[in-house]
Structure formats: structure tokens, C-alpha cells
Amino acid sequence: MSRVRIRIDFTPRTDDDEFVLGELTGELAESLREIGGEVERVVRPAIDPDAKGAAELLLGVVTVLAGTDPGYVQALVDVVLSFLQRNTGRRVHLRVGDIELTIDRPTHAQTDELVRTVRAAIERARL
């Protein structure tokens, strides 16, 4: 089964500092790993290729390698929604191929549609 990389990022609040953003990014990554995802925190490449140690983690951004298994996609969406419930006032952005979704506080019906949309986006990105 082929898999697709999904980029997940969340909006910071004005009072967030690097420590808070780092903790939240780690929390999101760990939650995604618990459902079996291959998760990576995104690294910003060094601007100067000769500079040592200049690469840094992008705060608030992770990627996950996902397939279209309905159970996994549902679990991924559930993790994102749980993250939003614990961290009110934020939005999460999912990017699958050329499709971008913004998630805030969806209703139950919107959540079902979100799962279908993510699965369709993964299928489309695999082609």
C-alpha cells in the first residue's frame, strides 16, 4: 500500500513563546506516533550551507506518513480534534498533496466530511 506525507501545523497564539510552541509540537507528534504514524518534526534548512548547527526545528509543524486505511485516517482526525479541544483558540492546517484544509471546531457532521476529504486527498496524492 502506498503512503502519502501529510503536513500538519497549528496556529500559534500571540502569547506563545518558543518553549510553549515546542512543547505543543512535541505533544502533537507524540499523539500521532501513538496511533502508529511515522511522524517527523519539520526542520528548516540552514540558510547558509557552511553554517554549522544552523538548521532548526519549525515550531508547530509535523509531518506524518499515512495510507488510506479508514481506521487510521479516522484516528488521525481524532488526534487533531483532541489537540484542538485541549488547545482552544488554535486552528490546525492539513496539507495533503495540493489540498489544504483548515480545521477549527467542526461539528460532528463536518468531522465525518473531514475524514472523507482527507481519505480522498490521500488517494488523489498517491496517483
Side-chain angles (χ1 to χ4, degrees):
M1 169 171 62
S2 59
R3 298 161 82 185
V4 173
R5 188 152 306 274
I6 300 173
R7 180 184 167 116
I8 303 170
D9 65 89
F10 59 87
T11 56
R13 289 190 224 148
T14 56
D15 59 339
D16 287 341
D17 60 18
E18 287 186 15
F19 178 78
V20 169
L21 292 173
E23 290 291 310
L24 291 173
T25 306
E27 172 191 322
L28 179 59
E30 185 58 33
S31 294
L32 290 165
R33 282 187 193 99
E34 287 175 4
I35 62 169
E38 185 178 316
V39 180
E40 295 178 1
R41 291 182 68 171
V42 176
V43 176
R44 179 182 312 162
I47 295 172
D48 179 2
D50 295 328
K52 293 186 179 193
E56 59 185 44
L57 290 174
L58 282 176
L59 299 175
V61 184
V62 298
T63 63
V64 62
L65 202 55
T68 57
D69 175 76
Y72 181 79
V73 174
Q74 180 68 55
L76 181 128
V77 170
D78 289 344
V79 164
V80 168
L81 295 178
S82 292
F83 178 83
L84 285 171
Q85 287 174 344
R86 289 189 309 274
N87 299 284
T88 57
R90 298 185 190 280
R91 289 187 175 151
V92 170
H93 307 279
L94 298 178
R95 182 178 178 112
V96 183
D98 61 353
I99 296 174
E100 293 186 48
L101 304 166
T102 299
I103 307 165
D104 192 350
R105 297 181 72 71
T107 65
H108 184 65
Q110 289 169 328
T111 300
D112 292 343
E113 182 61 29
L114 178 62
V115 170
R116 286 190 293 276
T117 301
V118 170
R119 284 190 67 216
I122 292 170
E123 284 287 345
R124 181 175 165 193
R126 287 180 7 179
L127 301 177

